[in-house]
Amino acid sequence: MTPKTLLAAWPSWAGRAAFVWSLLYAAGAALAALTGPAFGYTLLAKGSGTAAETGAAVLYGAAAALAYALLRRPGVRWLPTAAWAVAALCLTSGFPALLSPTHLLFFLSRNQDPVDWAALLNQALAVLGAVLWGRAALAHRRRALGTCPYCGGRGHHTGPQDTGPAPRTTRAGLVAVAALVPYTVLKTAWALGVTPGYTGTGRPGADPEYTSDLGLRLYDHGIDVTAVLALLGMALALALTRPWGRRLPRLPLLALGWAGAGALVPFGAFLAALGALAWAGVIGLGMADHAPWVVAVAYGGFCGYGLALARATLLYQRATRTNCEHCQGLSSNSRRRPKGGPAAGV
């Protein structure tokens, strides 16, 4: 079977692939916990060591049991919801790998710690697991609903489902934009010399030890690179929800939308929780020169953006979806079938 044929037949093997991946990933975590080699296992992309490796072994072992249930119980409708939770867990384990391409942008930072290749490979495998689990969840849900397992269609339309964004799609884009406004305004204000939420010395957001010369020059002119990236994120959300976005290539928009949502939801939730706990005086962040609301409101907005971006991407995907060849074949057969007569081959 060629790779193209294998990819085309993904509904038939996605559940088994998620099962095998979960078994292997859990076994690797258990081996690391027992023998102590640095395989790069972490829990929630943070802590490492025996406790994290044991926790990963237990969680992904339970995921393997869930994958087995997906294979054995194709009609149970709550199983795909649990499968999506496993995909989210995989993304939290692989979150640093999703952000690793930013290290290639030399103007963002310098003097970073050496790359832990074992950990990076492990995180990349976790991202692969998220993809497999997402595919398995889709295939199971579509079978349970009786829709096409390949595209989710019902075989009754031959083009995009609508010609413009629905109101709820537009709202999702506006919510995504609004979620990044506090961060963008704050970082731009800091670059311009106005420092709300910062009580330390020097320039917040532009550490000379880590910011490159180009980044510092831009900062001197009131341009924070991460604020520019936030603006690009806003543009992506609008492209998914406004009519002009329908003229852009579909697959790149979907890839950027899902990757951004998968990376920023767990990251933003983690930062929002830390900021809220620090704001309440429960913990200390080790950032005495930053007000707790900076982490909770500005950085926590990444979570709100990621959730709204996921909603916008999902609605965009559904609105621009066309029937695959399987659905079109079903539609053609139904049109050729004599009215009131039996189906062909029955």
Side-chain angles (χ1 to χ4, degrees):
M1 182 177 290
T2 64
K4 184 177 180 180
T5 305
L6 186 63
L7 289 175
W10 67 265
S12 64
W13 56 258
R16 293 193 297 274
F19 174 67
V20 172
W21 177 91
S22 300
L23 281 179
L24 293 177
Y25 199 77
L31 180 63
L34 291 174
T35 62
F39 289 158
Y41 280 91
T42 61
L43 192 61
L44 298 179
K46 179 83 175 158
S48 59
T50 303
E53 293 158 354
T54 303
V58 171
L59 288 174
Y60 289 104
L66 177 63
Y68 183 77
L70 284 174
L71 295 173
R72 301 293 294 178
R73 298 290 186 269
V76 180
R77 294 195 176 187
W78 64 265
L79 287 175
T81 302
W84 283 117
V86 177
L89 175 65
C90 294
L91 286 176
T92 61
S93 296
F95 171 73
L98 291 174
L99 289 186
S100 60
T102 60
H103 296 301
L104 300 177
L105 303 177
F106 69 94
F107 54 83
L108 282 180
S109 58
R110 60 185 176 188
N111 296 333
Q112 296 295 323
D113 295 332
V115 176
D116 185 343
W117 292 106
L120 185 60
L121 176 60
N122 191 298
Q123 293 152 10
L125 290 175
V127 174
L128 173 62
V131 174
L132 294 176
W133 270 99
R135 288 288 194 173
L138 277 177
H140 188 281
R141 181 176 182 275
R142 289 169 178 174
R143 288 193 186 98
L145 294 177
T147 59
C148 175
Y150 295 89
C151 72
R154 295 183 182 273
H156 63 275
H157 66 280
T158 57
Q161 295 180 5
D162 60 17
T163 57
R168 59 178 181 172
T169 312
T170 303
R171 286 197 297 270
L174 295 178
V175 170
V177 170
L180 285 184
V181 167
Y183 177 85
T184 307
V185 171
L186 182 68
K187 296 303 290 286
T188 301
W190 285 358
L192 294 173
V194 183
T195 57
Y198 182 75
T199 58
T201 59
R203 296 181 296 178
D207 188 345
E209 183 178 354
Y210 294 102
T211 306
S212 69
D213 293 336
L214 176 58
L216 290 175
R217 285 196 297 270
L218 292 173
Y219 203 86
D220 290 338
H221 291 82
I223 301 174
D224 183 275
V225 175
T226 58
V228 174
L229 293 178
L231 291 175
L232 293 176
M234 294 180 187
L236 172 62
L238 293 177
L240 290 166
T241 56
R242 304 303 301 169
W244 55 266
R246 301 297 174 88
R247 296 191 291 270
L248 299 176
R250 181 175 184 265
L251 289 181
L253 282 182
L254 288 176
L256 290 172
W258 286 123
L264 292 178
V265 168
F267 180 57
F270 178 72
L271 290 177
L274 284 184
L277 292 174
W279 205 345
V282 178
I283 63 173
L285 291 177
M287 300 172 62
D289 51 1
H290 288 74
W293 65 262
V294 171
V295 178
V297 177
Y299 296 102
F302 293 157
C303 180
Y305 171 80
L307 291 171
L309 184 66
R311 179 66 172 168
T313 306
L314 176 62
L315 294 175
Y316 172 85
Q317 178 175 322
R318 290 176 176 174
T320 59
R321 181 174 58 203
T322 57
N323 276 345
C324 65
E325 58 183 2
H326 305 278
C327 287
Q328 291 169 1
L330 289 174
S331 298
S332 300
N333 290 336
S334 64
R335 286 194 296 269
R336 290 194 299 266
R337 187 181 305 160
K339 186 175 181 180
V346 176

